[in-house]
Amino acid sequence: MKGSLLLLSNFIKNPKEVGAVAPSSKFLTNEIIRNIGFKKSKNIVELGPGLGTFTRAMLKKAEPGTRLFCFEVNKKFCSYLAKNIIDERLTIINAGAEKISSNLKKLKIQNVDFVISGLPFLNFSDTKKRSILKEVKSSLNENGRFILFQYTNGLDKLLESYFNNVNRKFVPLNMPCAFVYVCGK
């Protein structure tokens, strides 16, 4: 199945899990990517890669020794990623964001430099949001950053309760328009 059709059909089946009807634009992708320090990054986590728009862009910019761990709950998206992005630096993990630490521990990874997220946070319960943010924060190294995008801007206070530094930028050239948050410990 073609990527955009796969995304749309999975959105229709489960909009609270998928959260997007179309792949991210190059403008949103560029805004996410420009906030990642690729020269010093050893380990990056991506939450909810979907069809891999950010995944491809990160692998293109990442250093040869950088590893990218993609956490995806949708098995069809995991299969799509495995078939369409062939790169030894990529590890696809069929698990939710609440399981970052336990999965990284199995891979002998202590912490990561960046966590990138396309998860639809506002579709989640408060308990799930907090569980994910706790996992993200504990998985980041001391100078690590959490970079996420949302289609609404209602996450500021929650993010500020976990991170000392939260910046938000509006990206109008995406369908729908998006907000990119960059959070530092």
Side-chain angles (χ1 to χ4, degrees):
M1 181 182 284
K2 189 176 177 194
S4 53
L5 284 176
L6 179 63
L7 186 63
L8 180 60
S9 68
N10 278 272
F11 173 81
I12 291 167
K13 288 177 190 168
N14 196 348
K16 289 195 176 232
E17 178 186 291
V18 176
V21 296
S24 299
S25 72
K26 68 179 180 180
F27 302 101
L28 179 55
T29 302
N30 289 340
E31 185 59 32
I32 294 287
I33 296 303
R34 80 172 190 83
N35 286 288
I36 301 172
F38 288 105
K39 292 286 183 205
K40 296 181 181 178
S41 295
K42 298 287 183 230
N43 297 299
I44 300 171
V45 163
E46 183 179 8
L47 305 175
L51 300 178
T53 302
F54 299 153
T55 312
R56 285 181 183 85
M58 286 188 283
L59 288 169
K60 196 175 202 178
K61 291 275 235 174
E63 297 292 313
T66 301
R67 294 179 66 193
L68 176 57
F69 304 93
C70 289
F71 286 76
E72 177 59 66
V73 296
N74 186 305
K75 288 183 182 188
K76 289 181 181 178
F77 290 163
C78 288
S79 294
Y80 181 89
L81 291 168
K83 288 177 189 166
N84 291 283
I85 304 177
I86 309 302
D87 193 307
E88 64 185 23
R89 300 171 295 169
L90 175 63
T91 302
I92 301 162
I93 301 165
N94 183 212
E98 304 91 334
K99 306 233 190 260
I100 298 171
S101 299
S102 61
N103 278 282
L104 290 178
K105 191 175 184 177
K106 288 178 196 173
L107 297 165
K108 297 183 179 13
I109 304 295
Q110 215 168 33
N111 53 41
V112 300
D113 303 296
F114 292 90
V115 175
I116 311 305
S117 175
L119 298 177
F121 270 87
L122 293 180
N123 289 348
F124 301 154
S125 69
D126 284 344
T127 303
K128 185 171 181 173
K129 286 179 209 172
R130 291 185 180 284
S131 175
I132 291 170
L133 291 173
K134 184 179 174 188
E135 280 286 305
V136 167
K137 186 175 180 180
S138 70
S139 70
L140 286 169
N141 67 31
E142 197 56 41
N143 297 312
R145 285 193 198 163
F146 178 41
I147 303 167
L148 68 153
F149 81 91
Q150 298 290 286
Y151 297 125
T152 60
N153 66 350
L155 274 185
D156 298 68
K157 287 183 181 180
L158 181 61
L159 291 172
E160 288 167 356
S161 71
Y162 284 86
F163 298 95
N164 292 330
N165 187 6
V166 176
N167 293 303
R168 181 184 70 205
K169 182 170 183 183
F170 181 60
V171 180
L173 298 175
N174 191 66
M175 190 59 178
C177 300
F179 293 89
V180 172
Y181 293 87
V182 179
C183 310
K185 288 172 101 174

